[in-house]
Amino acid sequence: MTLTDTNTIDSYHRDGYVVVRSLFSPAEIQTLASHFTQIAAGPPIENHWAPMREDSDPLRRYPRIVQPHRFDPLSKQMLLDPRVMDIVAAIFDDNPLAVQSMYYFKPPGAKGQALHQDDFYLHTKPSPCLAAWTAVDPSLPENGGLYVVPLTHDHDVVCPDMANPDESFTTHYVAPPQGSEALPLRLNPGDTLFFNGCVIHGSKPNTTDNLWRRSFICHYVPASTEKLAVWFQPVIDRDGRNHQLGIADDGGPCGREFPAFFSDADVRTKPKA
């Protein structure tokens, strides 16, 4: 069975997501984890990594590192890994373009991220983006592992409600459709979850005393994409060449008062009609 066999692709298109087990080897994951531990021990990196080392909040001491591929060769290598790009290309039936990378630490005691849709932030047009979420540690419900709402890939991107600040480090929450529920996923290190940018997903707090839930997350769009939020540009093809797409500046489902991309601290949310 190949990584791009029809079962993998059919599962993605049926459910909106698919888990590919052991896409990365234990040695590759250990190299990645050690590398980001070294980065975290170093100085802040402007626009990418701004830890507050004395803060009592675990996610302020270890915030996510955003767009590391823009300064770090290993992150760019992971973003453009042929195994990932081949799966993404088969799902899109189009050449993939890479638009984002992130490394999450999620220490014990860290808040989760309320249910949301990725395309609310990327504003991809005309078709949704795709995420590739690779587990660096075991990802379990108790340490803040991912939840997904199956069959929401065909739903529109909606304007979110306010999230519970006691449980989520972000401010946005998208409720599952009536009759649906968020299901927990269990991922082992090296497993990669591929999911559609409209799929509702999120995580709960890490309630353990000693289990981290580190992950490496990438986003992709098909080459036929016409517009994308400005913060994610330029995009990169599988050969590492930069490309500029049209700028999506309409604010998405919440209207023009929403910028194409805004920080987690931004609380300008508009209730759903």
Side-chain angles (χ1 to χ4, degrees):
M1 185 173 68
T2 65
L3 293 175
T4 55
D5 68 6
T6 56
N7 289 334
T8 299
I9 308 308
D10 289 348
S11 292
Y12 177 92
H13 289 301
R14 181 188 68 236
D15 300 326
Y17 69 93
V18 66
V19 176
V20 178
R21 302 291 181 182
S22 301
L23 184 60
F24 293 94
S25 70
E28 289 174 309
I29 293 299
Q30 183 56 53
T31 296
L32 182 70
S34 298
H35 181 67
F36 274 95
T37 297
Q38 292 178 345
I39 291 176
I45 303 169
E46 187 175 3
N47 298 322
H48 300 283
W49 164 247
M52 300 180 182
R53 302 191 191 279
E54 305 303 320
D55 201 292
S56 61
D57 186 332
L59 286 184
R60 293 185 183 273
R61 295 199 306 272
Y62 289 95
R64 57 187 174 181
I65 300 179
V66 296
Q67 303 291 54
H69 70 275
R70 293 183 177 174
F71 68 86
D72 176 53
L74 179 59
S75 297
K76 188 172 182 179
Q77 177 183 324
M78 288 282 294
L79 177 70
L80 301 179
D81 187 280
R83 291 164 293 188
V84 174
M85 296 293 269
D86 285 349
I87 294 172
V88 175
I91 289 172
F92 283 154
D93 194 22
D94 194 356
N95 291 321
L97 298 172
V99 303
Q100 186 183 37
S101 62
M102 293 185 290
Y103 190 86
Y104 277 68
F105 291 95
K106 199 159 190 181
K111 294 179 181 180
Q113 183 171 5
L115 294 174
H116 62 283
Q117 297 167 290
D118 287 348
D119 250 13
F120 176 75
Y121 306 99
L122 277 73
H123 296 180
T124 309
K125 300 178 186 299
S127 56
C129 69
L130 181 155
W133 197 104
T134 298
V136 176
D137 299 304
S139 178
L140 313 167
E142 54 267 31
N143 73 344
L146 277 189
Y147 283 69
V148 298
V149 182
L151 307 179
T152 51
H153 55 300
D154 290 330
H155 288 239
D156 291 335
V157 174
V158 299
C159 188
D161 294 316
M162 289 293 292
N164 181 349
D166 294 329
E167 296 185 354
S168 176
F169 76 92
T170 53
T171 58
H172 305 130
Y173 168 73
V174 175
Q178 187 173 5
S180 301
E181 63 178 327
L183 303 179
L185 297 178
R186 292 178 176 268
L187 302 177
N188 296 315
D191 292 348
T192 300
L193 167 69
F194 294 85
F195 60 94
N196 181 289
C198 290
V199 165
I200 300 172
H201 66 287
S203 65
K204 295 182 179 180
N206 183 343
T207 59
T208 70
D209 295 328
N210 59 356
L211 297 178
W212 291 60
R213 195 231 64 184
R214 296 168 294 179
S215 56
F216 189 79
I217 305 161
C218 301
H219 286 91
Y220 305 87
V221 297
S224 57
T225 298
E226 297 172 4
K227 292 185 177 182
L228 178 72
V230 65
W231 193 83
F232 302 94
Q233 304 213 39
V235 301
I236 311 172
D237 67 23
R238 66 162 69 224
D239 295 319
R241 296 172 299 201
N242 288 347
H243 299 265
Q244 192 74 29
L245 302 178
I247 303 299
D249 59 0
D250 62 356
C254 298
R256 282 191 169 274
E257 68 270 28
F258 274 69
F261 181 85
F262 43 88
S263 71
D264 297 331
D266 193 323
V267 295
R268 291 174 295 170
T269 40
K270 175 182 175 183
K272 285 183 285 187

